Amino acid sequence: PILILGACGQIGTELTFELRAKYGSENVIASDIREGSEVLMNSGPFELLDATNYEAIEDVVMHYEIDEVFLMAAMLSATAEKFPMRAWNLNMNSLFNVLNLAKERKINKVFWPSSIAVFGPNTPKKNTPQNTIMEPSTVYGISKQAGERWCEYYFKKFGVDVRSVRYPGLISWKTMPGGGTTDYAVEIYHEALKSGKYQCFLDKDTKLPMMFMDDAITATMSLMESKPEKLSVRSSYNLGSMSFTPKEMAKSIQKNIPDFKITYAPDFRQQIADSWPSSIDDSAAAHDWNWKPKFDLETTTKEMLGNLKQAL
Ligand code: VAH
């Protein structure tokens, strides 16, 4: 059986649905610090669980005889700047809890998300390589860089089978993101349908690596199902699909909603975005486990507006 920590979050929610569809609802235990959507809560077993509480996780792991853990609980970049020590505590102690369960052989496999936030202001911004300068300038980025180093250490030292990808900004319609710098790329679709206008908290030319959630989930499951001997990276794989600016995103929405208006009012999240790459070289993932994205900006916009129209 599989345990998902942070199952009510932006990625966790969709991961829960996809893993349940593939492996059967009863084999996927969802957990979070608080209850999730009606749909999620009614789709299979759920446990209220604090990812920083080792004993509580251990109890659930033993009770359900868990084999694999997906650790999706974290505090994201924007919120982490407001609460640095809470972010460090949640992001690191949850990871140590899961890595130590694997080291004690109480679970066999771990997925842990890293992020393009591990890169910093002096990282090459275009086609950022798998191995390069990494001096993250955000609390969240520092926690992700430290987390990657621990994942590789536990793999090399204790043979822990932990796998990870550096997610770009993720765009989903089933769930809202929580406290990220790339959240504008989700909010903009909701506002385009609700009010026909959106005030963007990043500047019009801020180019960032982004990905539609379906691609992110496919990548996550593909990496976890790969044969271990195929994996040359045990820190975290670069993962790319598309890059665009808020201005390009607004144009893509205006093709469907001609009157949509965007304005720009950069806030503290501009500095975070400016420290991140504009595009990613994910050739290691393509080589090791045949990663290939399906969605671009046009198809993402069609999917988002089509599904949100139904949902709203
Ligand atoms: C954030 N969505 O904005 C997350 C992600 C690359 C961005 O890490 O913090």
Side-chain angles (χ1 to χ4, degrees):
I2 291 171
L3 171 63
I4 302 174
L5 296 170
C8 301
Q10 183 194 16
I11 309 173
T13 301
E14 305 228 21
L15 202 49
T16 300
F17 294 141
E18 291 308 315
L19 289 169
R20 285 180 164 164
K22 177 146 198 183
Y23 299 109
S25 293
E26 290 320 298
N27 294 317
V28 180
I29 317 312
S31 75
D32 207 303
I33 193 92
R34 48 154 175 64
E35 293 200 350
S37 65
E38 194 84 5
V39 181
L40 180 94
M41 299 304 286
N42 296 334
S43 69
F46 181 88
E47 293 286 343
L48 280 175
L49 198 46
D50 174 350
T52 62
N53 180 334
Y54 182 84
E55 289 70 25
I57 300 172
E58 189 183 33
D59 287 349
V60 170
V61 163
M62 306 319 269
H63 176 74
Y64 290 95
E65 297 177 354
I66 298 296
D67 301 299
E68 295 186 19
V69 173
F70 288 71
L71 170 51
M72 310 311 286
M75 193 183 288
L76 296 186
S77 59
T79 312
E81 288 305 298
K82 294 177 189 159
F83 308 104
M85 288 303 109
R86 275 170 50 188
W88 180 259
N89 173 50
L90 170 58
N91 294 3
M92 301 315 293
N93 290 327
S94 58
L95 178 59
F96 284 127
N97 288 340
V98 177
L99 289 177
N100 286 329
L101 280 166
K103 178 180 164 228
E104 304 305 322
R105 303 295 182 248
K106 290 177 177 147
I107 54 177
N108 313 317
K109 205 187 272 187
V110 174
F111 178 79
W112 176 76
S114 183
S115 159
I116 58 164
V118 288
F119 300 116
N122 59 3
T123 302
K125 285 199 181 304
K126 284 194 174 45
N127 222 21
T128 301
Q130 177 68 46
N131 297 305
T132 183
I133 301 159
M134 294 161 70
E135 296 180 351
S137 52
T138 64
V139 170
Y140 174 72
I142 294 166
S143 79
K144 289 301 182 182
Q145 183 183 34
E148 290 190 6
R149 298 289 92 234
W150 280 111
C151 288
E152 191 177 86
Y153 182 87
Y154 269 69
F155 170 72
K156 286 186 174 157
K157 197 101 172 161
F158 310 117
V160 166
D161 187 0
V162 51
R163 305 174 188 203
S164 177
V165 293
R166 290 167 180 160
Y167 287 122
L170 299 183
I171 301 171
S172 58
W173 57 272
K174 287 185 191 137
T175 45
M176 290 308 283
T181 299
T182 59
D183 295 3
Y184 89 87
V186 177
E187 293 167 2
I188 192 169
Y189 289 111
H190 288 262
E191 287 310 313
L193 290 167
K194 273 187 217 154
S195 64
K197 61 185 184 336
Y198 181 63
Q199 177 172 285
C200 184
F201 55 71
L202 295 183
D203 181 71
K204 66 182 173 38
D205 297 321
T206 310
K207 193 177 184 83
L208 288 172
M210 295 282 189
M211 183 176 288
F212 186 56
M213 182 62 80
D214 291 20
D215 271 337
I217 301 297
T218 302
T220 305
M221 293 172 74
S222 170
L223 172 59
M224 286 297 273
E225 290 156 13
S226 296
K227 289 187 175 37
E229 56 272 14
K230 291 216 182 273
L231 307 182
S232 64
V233 174
R234 289 290 182 157
S235 49
S236 187
Y237 279 93
N238 276 7
L239 196 68
S241 78
M242 53 184 159
S243 295
F244 52 75
T245 65
K247 189 173 162 197
E248 290 164 336
M249 189 170 215
K251 274 205 172 59
S252 138
I253 290 172
Q254 283 154 352
K255 283 186 188 142
N256 299 271
I257 306 175
D259 298 341
F260 172 65
K261 296 269 179 299
I262 186 166
T263 52
Y264 302 95
D267 67 12
F268 75 100
R269 289 168 284 193
Q270 187 63 48
Q271 286 72 27
I272 297 175
D274 289 342
S275 74
W276 291 350
S278 56
S279 61
I280 298 289
D281 170 4
D282 58 5
S283 47
H287 174 268
D288 289 3
W289 40 279
N290 304 317
W291 161 242
K292 191 172 175 350
K294 289 197 182 70
F295 291 85
D296 62 13
L297 179 53
E298 294 322 307
T299 46
T300 296
T301 294
K302 287 222 174 327
E303 280 292 307
M304 288 295 286
L305 293 178
N307 284 294
L308 283 177
K309 251 182 222 141
Q310 311 263 352
L312 287 177

